[in-house]
Amino acid sequence: MRNWAIGTCALALTVAGCSASEDAAMMESVERVQTVDIAEAPGEAETDSALGAENATAGIDKTSSAPQIAYVYGYGFRIAPDEIAPLAQRHVELCEKLPNNGCRVLSLQQAGSEGSYAYGTLELAVAASKARNFGKDLASSAESLGGEQVDTSISGEDLSKQIVDTEARLRARTLLRDRLMEVLRSRQGTVAELIEAERGVAQVNEEIDQARSWLAEMRGRVAYSRVTISYNSSARTGGSFGRPIVDAFQSIGSILGTTIAFMIYALTVLIPVVLALLGLGWLWRKSGIRLFRRSAAKEAQAGDEVKGK
């Protein structure tokens, strides 16, 4: 029982300081518990060790020696404004036609104006093994509608080390959780030690869930490449001399609209102000006339009194 208590305390201290730099200390604590078990009951310890190893590797794929690279593809197409929506729809249909859920639509955005400018963006997740050929299909669809491919980009991020490190961390945490569960099942140790072991199990389970989420996210990025497609209707001009002229003609409508909007705002503000000023002027004139009449009447009355005397 004393040996079990020592093992429990060591594991609890290890869980309290869980971090990547303390994995070695944690494994030493686990080995210490295994040594105590073997000394007390060799047959049972060997069975538990085999079960722990099996649980530690459950749900974890064997790491391949091949590089785990997450690719990101970018394609840009120039096409007439009224053909952007049909082209984007064709690209969505190409995505949906890939077998075995080989493509997923992440987002689609389109915007345009009354002029000759419009743009759009389509984001897809394509199976890594089909991403290269899928890019060729995108270009073919654009050419069939009179568009042209103007931009191409490919970038990749090697996730091999991160995946291997996360898998190793997950195996270590799973082994530690199994040992803590053995301590709780045996009910050996003080109440405080058992409570600390329960807290350790909860913390280790949280780290295991987090590591599994990281693995799923990284493996998803490797399995499905992100493809970003941009559509633009800007036409090429003959040179720098003609470009400002074209821009000026295209902005005539927006300039007139801005001017009219400013006039509307100005009238909205000035009309109440002018009415208020006119009202104040009318009141001022009316009160002035009354005061003038009163003063004139007083002067006339005073003149009559002087004449009467």
Side-chain angles (χ1 to χ4, degrees), residues 207-271:
E207 292 185 2
I208 289 174
D209 293 339
Q210 188 180 41
R212 286 175 177 170
S213 299
W214 288 345
L215 275 179
E217 192 270 340
M218 288 186 290
R219 287 172 178 167
R221 291 174 58 190
V222 173
Y224 282 85
S225 301
R226 180 179 290 271
V227 178
T228 302
I229 309 168
S230 60
Y231 311 95
N232 199 313
S233 64
S234 297
R236 295 180 179 177
T237 58
S240 59
F241 175 79
R243 183 64 184 181
I245 298 175
V246 174
D247 293 339
F249 276 107
Q250 291 179 351
S251 60
I252 289 176
S254 61
I255 293 174
L256 290 176
T258 303
T259 303
I260 295 174
F262 175 77
M263 294 173 64
I264 293 174
Y265 287 132
L267 291 175
T268 303
V269 174
L270 290 177
I271 288 175

Side-chain angles (χ1 to χ4, degrees), residues 89-278:
Q89 186 59 36
R90 282 199 181 187
H91 288 169
V92 170
E93 293 175 357
L94 286 176
C95 176
E96 294 175 346
K97 289 180 181 179
L98 287 181
N100 301 324
N101 196 23
C103 181
R104 306 166 185 168
V105 178
L106 301 180
S107 67
L108 173 61
Q109 297 179 352
Q110 292 179 229
S113 61
E114 296 179 356
S116 61
Y117 178 75
Y119 65 92
T121 303
L122 175 63
E123 290 190 2
L124 307 173
V126 184
S129 58
K130 304 176 182 178
R132 294 288 182 91
N133 293 330
F134 185 76
K136 298 178 181 178
D137 296 336
L138 295 176
S140 300
S141 299
E143 292 176 358
S144 64
L145 292 178
E148 60 175 336
Q149 184 173 342
V150 294
D151 295 313
T152 304
S153 64
I154 301 176
S155 61
E157 181 182 0
D158 193 352
L159 302 177
S160 303
K161 185 178 184 303
Q162 298 181 36
I163 291 177
V164 171
D165 292 345
T166 305
E167 288 177 343
R169 183 179 180 84
L170 181 56
R171 285 191 293 268
R173 292 296 180 266
T174 305
L175 181 59
L176 175 58
R177 180 193 61 185
D178 294 341
R179 290 306 175 190
L180 289 173
M181 292 300 297
E182 290 177 10
V183 172
L184 294 176
R185 283 193 295 265
S186 65
R187 297 294 180 181
Q188 297 184 10
T190 64
V191 176
E193 291 169 349
L194 293 176
I195 293 175
E196 191 67 26
E198 289 181 356
R199 293 177 180 174
V201 170
Q203 183 175 352
V204 171
N205 281 333
E206 182 179 353
E207 292 185 2
I208 289 174
D209 293 339
Q210 188 180 41
R212 286 175 177 170
S213 299
W214 288 345
L215 275 179
E217 192 270 340
M218 288 186 290
R219 287 172 178 167
R221 291 174 58 190
V222 173
Y224 282 85
S225 301
R226 180 179 290 271
V227 178
T228 302
I229 309 168
S230 60
Y231 311 95
N232 199 313
S233 64
S234 297
R236 295 180 179 177
T237 58
S240 59
F241 175 79
R243 183 64 184 181
I245 298 175
V246 174
D247 293 339
F249 276 107
Q250 291 179 351
S251 60
I252 289 176
S254 61
I255 293 174
L256 290 176
T258 303
T259 303
I260 295 174
F262 175 77
M263 294 173 64
I264 293 174
Y265 287 132
L267 291 175
T268 303
V269 174
L270 290 177
I271 288 175
V273 174
V274 171
L275 291 177
L277 292 176
L278 291 176

Side-chain angles (χ1 to χ4, degrees), residues 20-43:
S21 62
E22 295 176 346
D23 287 343
M26 180 271 297
M27 293 306 298
E28 290 177 1
S29 299
V30 173
E31 291 175 358
R32 186 182 309 168
V33 175
Q34 291 176 337
T35 303
V36 173
D37 293 342
I38 293 173
E40 294 180 354

